[in-house]
Amino acid sequence: MGRIFKPEYTVKRLDGTTERRRTAWYHVEYTDAHGRTRHKKASPTHDLAKEVLRKLEEEAGQERNGLASGNAWDL
């Protein structure tokens, strides 16, 4: 089972302080057919990111089971 998230990053201000920010786009994390954890930039909306994650996991499952897979980015 994968996850959907917005990565955080740190910005250093001119006065020397730091600020934590989140990216505008949602990213997905999933396990591919070879058991590796993968991260991909997915979508600016949560609903589309869920669809991308579902397709990527479905594709990985098919590849694990020996079926040919297409490109998950062809939504």
Side-chain angles (χ1 to χ4, degrees):
M1 177 124 210
R3 70 183 182 117
I4 300 169
F5 64 100
K6 282 189 170 184
E8 290 186 351
Y9 60 98
T10 304
V11 175
K12 190 170 185 178
R13 296 179 182 165
L14 294 176
D15 63 2
T17 61
T18 59
E19 176 185 356
R20 298 283 294 166
R21 293 184 184 172
R22 288 185 186 253
T23 62
W25 280 59
Y26 286 93
H27 291 227
V28 295
E29 180 179 88
Y30 69 101
T31 303
D32 69 6
H34 304 289
R36 295 183 185 138
T37 301
R38 301 290 185 179
H39 299 117
K40 292 202 182 274
K41 183 177 177 181
S43 165
T45 66
H46 192 265
D47 290 336
L48 286 175
K50 277 198 280 189
E51 182 66 21
V52 168
L53 178 60
R54 185 194 62 76
K55 277 195 94 125
L56 288 168
E57 288 180 332
E58 179 182 311
E59 201 173 88
Q62 288 177 350
E63 191 173 337
R64 271 192 298 273
N65 293 326
L67 300 173
S69 64
N71 186 353
W73 296 104
D74 294 335
L75 294 178

